[in-house]
Amino acid sequence: MSFITRFAPSPTGYLHLGHAYSAILAHDAAREAGGKFLLRIEDIDATRCRPEFETAIYEDLAWLGLRWSDPVRRQSEHFDDYAAALETLRKLGVVYRCFLTRKEIAAASLSAPHEPGEAPDGVIYRGPAQRMSGEEEESRIARGETFAWRLSIKYSQDLLGEDFARLVFVERDEGSNTERAITARPELLGDVILGRKDTPTSYHLSVVHDDALQGITCIIRGQDLRASNHIHVLLQKLLGLPTPVYMHHHLLTGPDGKRYAKRDRSLTLAALREAGVSPAEIRARIGLSV
Ligand code: GLU
């Protein structure tokens, strides 16, 4: 099987050294394997994404010396695809409309994730005690109440039976070819959101859809997204999609010992480039050989 990997940033800020590490790691892995490196722009959140950040992504990556295979996939151009995937899940009966407000969800949730980043939005919602009746749904919709589509762990478990406990993914260690099989435990993340009124998809749904569509065989990304795998493997099973190999790299920290974040403006690649830092120095700074 040929090797295809990707870098999938969201244009919600300028790229920093942590992004450079992720992108170079994926790029170099593809080169070494004689495979392909793709770029995907994950711009489903219209309120946070900005064109200037997207432009900067292309500039920063090209400046680092990275080359990607065309076409670049921009998720905002493919909402129909994600709606179709959601419809498939709806037909399977594994998603439901959730009318709870954020406040109500927070009150009904377990706020402490098992490990950092386990629930990327910080809350784990275990789902309603019972399914809402069709009449109640209709009357709430008629009243103009908004809702989110959530993936039900319980209904997925009911549908998949014993296969639910057999969901596995292969994880590769950073910096070696050691691989191990991990049993997925989607219940750790609870009933995640797959679509909202304002954004008719979610990170989980669109990333799983696109990784399959683009034939990604190995996903290389930061540790902060590791917990999402547990949900992604379930979605792959439900949608009949293949499960790639995963490699989650350590998260880079700055001089203050904190993880790089988009808010650290002084450490963006754009700022470092303007300050005269060279791409080779960037590689050295993040511990990668030229
Ligand atoms: N778009 C995500 C981010 O910028 C990364 C998605 C992924 O690599 O799975 O954090």
Side-chain angles (χ1 to χ4, degrees), residues 58-289:
Y58 304 125
E59 286 171 2
D60 289 343
L61 297 181
W63 172 71
L64 285 173
L66 308 190
R67 301 287 172 264
W68 50 91
S69 303
D70 282 334
V72 171
R73 183 168 168 93
R74 299 179 70 241
Q75 291 189 323
S76 59
E77 293 168 357
H78 301 282
F79 282 121
D80 286 356
D81 285 3
Y82 314 129
L86 188 58
E87 181 59 16
T88 303
L89 296 170
R90 212 180 59 77
K91 285 194 181 133
L92 289 175
V94 292
V95 293
Y96 63 92
R97 291 184 181 91
C98 174
F99 291 87
L100 298 179
T101 61
R102 276 174 205 271
K103 225 170 158 185
E104 287 167 333
I105 288 289
S109 305
L110 306 177
S111 53
H114 292 68
E115 58 177 86
E118 198 157 86
D121 53 3
V123 290
I124 302 170
Y125 177 56
R126 301 281 178 212
Q130 61 196 43
R131 208 184 260 261
M132 188 180 285
S133 71
E135 293 92 77
E136 186 175 350
E137 281 196 356
E138 274 169 35
S139 73
R140 280 171 175 252
I141 293 169
R143 284 203 299 269
E145 286 187 34
T146 57
F147 60 85
W149 286 103
R150 285 185 182 265
L151 175 65
S152 166
I153 294 294
K154 181 173 186 310
Y155 307 155
S156 302
Q157 222 161 357
D158 292 347
L159 179 76
L160 297 176
E162 287 179 2
D163 283 348
F164 185 90
R166 293 200 201 109
L167 296 168
V168 283
F169 57 93
V170 172
E171 195 168 63
R172 186 171 295 169
D173 282 347
E174 179 178 2
S176 86
N177 281 330
T178 313
E179 290 184 347
R180 76 186 69 92
I182 309 276
T183 300
R185 296 193 52 213
E187 66 279 12
L188 294 179
L189 279 94
D191 288 3
V192 298
I193 290 180
L194 296 187
R196 290 182 202 272
K197 205 173 172 198
D198 50 352
T199 309
T201 183
S202 71
Y203 161 64
H204 297 302
L205 184 61
S206 45
V207 82
V208 162
H209 176 277
D210 286 355
D211 282 331
L213 182 88
Q214 296 189 291
I216 304 299
T217 61
C218 181
I219 291 180
I220 298 175
R221 62 185 172 199
Q223 273 287 349
D224 52 335
L225 292 169
R226 182 171 186 267
S228 301
N229 276 21
H230 294 274
I231 284 292
H232 297 181
V233 175
L234 171 59
L235 283 172
Q236 285 151 1
K237 176 78 181 175
L238 293 167
L239 292 167
L241 305 173
T243 296
V245 170
Y246 289 90
M247 201 278 272
H248 289 92
H249 62 74
H250 73 283
L251 298 177
L252 267 64
T253 49
D256 58 358
K258 288 204 195 113
R259 267 167 54 185
Y260 288 116
K262 282 180 178 161
R263 58 182 178 277
D264 301 330
R265 295 192 154 249
S266 58
L267 288 168
T268 62
L269 297 180
L272 293 166
R273 184 169 76 223
E274 263 172 43
V277 178
S278 73
E281 280 164 344
I282 297 280
R283 279 191 181 247
R285 210 159 148 170
I286 56 183
L288 293 170
S289 56

